[in-house]
Amino acid sequence: MSTLERTKYRLRAHPMALDAALATGVLVTMMASSFIDPHGDDGATWGAHTPNLLSLTLMVLSAAALVLRRRAPRTILATTGALSALELVASDPRAPVVMSAVVALYTVASATDRPTTWRVGLLTMTVLTACAMLVGPLPWYAQENLAIFAWTGMAAAAGDAVRSRRAFVHAIRERADRAERTREEEARRRVAEERLRIARDLHDVVAHHIALVNVQAGVAAHVMDKRPDQAKEALAHVREASRSALNELRATVGLLRQSGDPEAPTEPAPGLARLDELADTFRNAGLPVEVARADHGTTLPAAVDLAAYRVIQEALTNVQKHAGAEAKAEISVVRVGPNVEVTVLDNGPGQDDGPGQDDGPQEGGPQEGGGHGLLGMRERVTALGGTCTTGPRYGGGFRVHAILPVKNRAAPALGDSA
């Protein structure tokens, strides 16, 4: 920090000291000017005038008043204005006491609004100029009288200009601060959305595959002694489901890598093209699944394709977990106008309260806290501009119905880039 910058900082930290220094400078200037005769034979002549006691007293009082100009600017302006008017009327030769009123008027103009500046400025100019022209010892047209009018007008204009500049700089800084806060809020929002998306994908992957592993492990344990071949087949399905879960987890967690990481996943996100493969995994787990599609030739955006796949995956997982051993599931994917409709039905009587339990604690079972499956479905579909409804079917079973727009209108941040 330079010496000049340190000096400015100290003066700003001690405004009273700055005002005292300004008052001293004004007093010295008024004292020096009171000894000059501007109308001498050879121009301005030093020592031609000698200020009287009244002038000296008025100069000291008006300069001392400037020390408090920041605390009470209008009061100081009225005080210095009255002292200046008294000097203009009573002293001959004059002393430049009006200089203190000029400084006080500048202070008022720089600290208040423009209408107040104009009112106070015009009043000060009028009163001081009228006193000088009409009551003072000099002719009304004297140069000194016109100078009073000019100096007070310039003080008001300069103070208003300084105030406007301060307001402009403050607005720029406030706008920059607001922009910075907006950027930080946007960054936090994007981080929250990304965390929500990754959590949703982890839930879908883990819930689906762990449910299959649980079912197949139960089958293997049940038939291990009597039908070892069937137990071996069930364990093979467990191994396949766990391998798929690990692969999808690796792809999802890979989103957290840096963009330049060469090990970042490159395989495409799952979509309806893998619907038959998804259905087969549940058939292998013992859940009969029927698939009906009437959307052939429809090309879906990646985010919509992923959402449709995840809705079906979550719905089948809930059927496997909650609908009972005798349940079967039906999947339909239909193109209806500008939308694609995905429906998953089951006819199971349900365990406890049915598949909807994944959204809350299970009654009659361990209170492990609420799940997020159905909530995740709705979030995915709503983020893409669609609708998702879930609920029990009349006569038994559960129904999941999602309507997704073929043209994605949602922000890409809610899609899957795994």
Side-chain angles (χ1 to χ4, degrees):
M1 183 182 294
S2 65
T3 303
L4 180 59
E5 291 177 346
R6 284 197 298 269
T7 303
K8 289 181 178 179
Y9 177 78
R10 290 173 182 173
L11 290 176
R12 289 175 182 173
H14 302 87
M16 184 69 74
L18 177 60
D19 291 338
L22 175 63
T24 302
V26 172
L27 177 60
V28 171
T29 303
M30 289 190 296
M31 289 287 190
S33 299
S34 64
F35 287 91
I36 298 175
D37 181 10
H39 301 292
D41 296 334
D42 298 327
T45 304
W46 172 263
H49 288 167
T50 301
N52 54 35
L53 181 59
L54 176 61
S55 297
L56 291 174
T57 303
L58 294 176
M59 284 188 287
V60 172
L61 291 176
S62 61
L66 293 179
V67 178
L68 303 175
R69 67 187 185 97
R70 296 177 191 265
R71 295 189 177 183
R74 298 189 188 185
T75 302
I76 298 304
L77 175 59
T79 302
T80 54
L83 295 175
S84 299
L86 179 59
E87 168 64 22
L88 293 174
V89 173
S91 295
D92 187 19
R94 288 178 181 172
V97 180
V98 72
M99 185 181 298
S100 60
V102 171
V103 175
L105 178 58
Y106 165 84
T107 303
V108 172
S110 63
T112 187
D113 55 85
R114 180 164 295 172
T116 303
T117 297
W118 285 112
R119 289 195 298 268
V120 174
L122 288 175
L123 178 62
T124 304
M125 292 164 58
T126 302
V127 171
L128 294 182
T129 305
C131 290
M133 288 184 174
L134 303 178
V135 186
L138 296 179
W140 69 269
Y141 52 83
Q143 182 178 356
E144 289 84 348
N145 297 337
L146 298 178
I148 293 172
F149 182 85
W151 278 105
T152 50
M154 285 189 294
D160 183 69
V162 169
R163 180 199 54 78
S164 298
R165 183 181 179 279
R166 287 175 182 169
F168 178 72
V169 172
H170 177 73
I172 291 178
R173 290 177 178 173
E174 185 177 346
R175 191 179 302 116
D177 293 341
R178 191 184 310 114
E180 184 65 23
R181 289 194 300 269
T182 302
R183 283 194 295 269
E184 293 176 357
E185 292 172 359
E186 178 68 14
R188 286 194 294 269
R189 185 187 65 82
R190 289 182 179 275
V191 169
E193 289 180 352
E194 186 68 7
R195 291 176 61 186
L196 177 63
R197 184 181 64 80
I198 293 175
R200 188 187 300 131
D201 286 342
L202 286 174
H203 172 273
D204 292 341
V205 172
V206 173
H208 164 59
H209 291 290
I210 297 303
L212 296 182
V213 168
N214 179 62
V215 171
Q216 294 291 356
V219 171
H222 182 69
V223 301
M224 179 68 71
D225 297 329
K226 298 181 179 180
R227 286 173 285 179
D229 293 340
Q230 187 174 351
K232 186 181 296 184
E233 181 181 354
L235 291 176
H237 289 310
V238 168
R239 183 176 60 183
E240 182 63 27
S242 61
R243 182 186 298 113
S244 298
L246 289 174
N247 290 336
E248 291 202 37
L249 283 174
R250 186 179 299 112
T252 302
V253 175
L255 295 174
L256 302 178
R257 300 181 186 274
Q258 296 181 357
S259 59
D261 195 331
E263 297 183 3
T266 57
E267 64 180 63
L272 293 180
R274 296 174 54 183
L275 181 56
D276 292 334
E277 178 184 342
L278 177 66
D280 288 338
T281 61
F282 283 95
R283 294 188 185 107
N284 293 333
L287 174 66
V289 179
E290 297 181 2
V291 179
R293 299 188 62 172
D295 64 326
H296 300 291
T298 301
T299 301
L300 298 178
V304 176
D305 200 21
L306 172 65
Y309 179 89
R310 293 301 192 196
V311 166
I312 296 173
Q313 183 186 53
E314 179 63 28
L316 292 178
T317 301
N318 285 343
V319 174
Q320 181 74 51
K321 291 167 60 178
H322 302 294
E326 303 299 325
K328 66 178 181 178
E330 300 177 3
I331 303 171
S332 67
V333 182
V334 182
R335 171 70 184 270
V336 180
N339 303 316
V340 60
E341 297 189 10
V342 175
T343 307
V344 180
L345 306 174
D346 73 80
N347 63 345
Q351 299 174 355
D352 296 325
D353 290 334
Q357 279 188 334
D358 198 34
D359 245 14
Q362 297 183 6
E363 297 180 7
Q367 299 300 314
E368 300 177 352
H372 300 280
L374 300 183
L375 178 62
M377 286 187 200
R378 299 188 188 99
E379 288 177 347
R380 284 185 180 276
V381 175
T382 303
L384 298 171
T387 58
C388 180
T389 56
T390 60
R393 298 173 60 193
Y394 180 76
F398 202 77
R399 176 178 182 268
V400 175
H401 181 66
I403 302 176
L404 293 162
V406 174
K407 293 184 179 180
N408 180 15
R409 300 185 297 273
L414 295 176
D416 193 344
S417 57

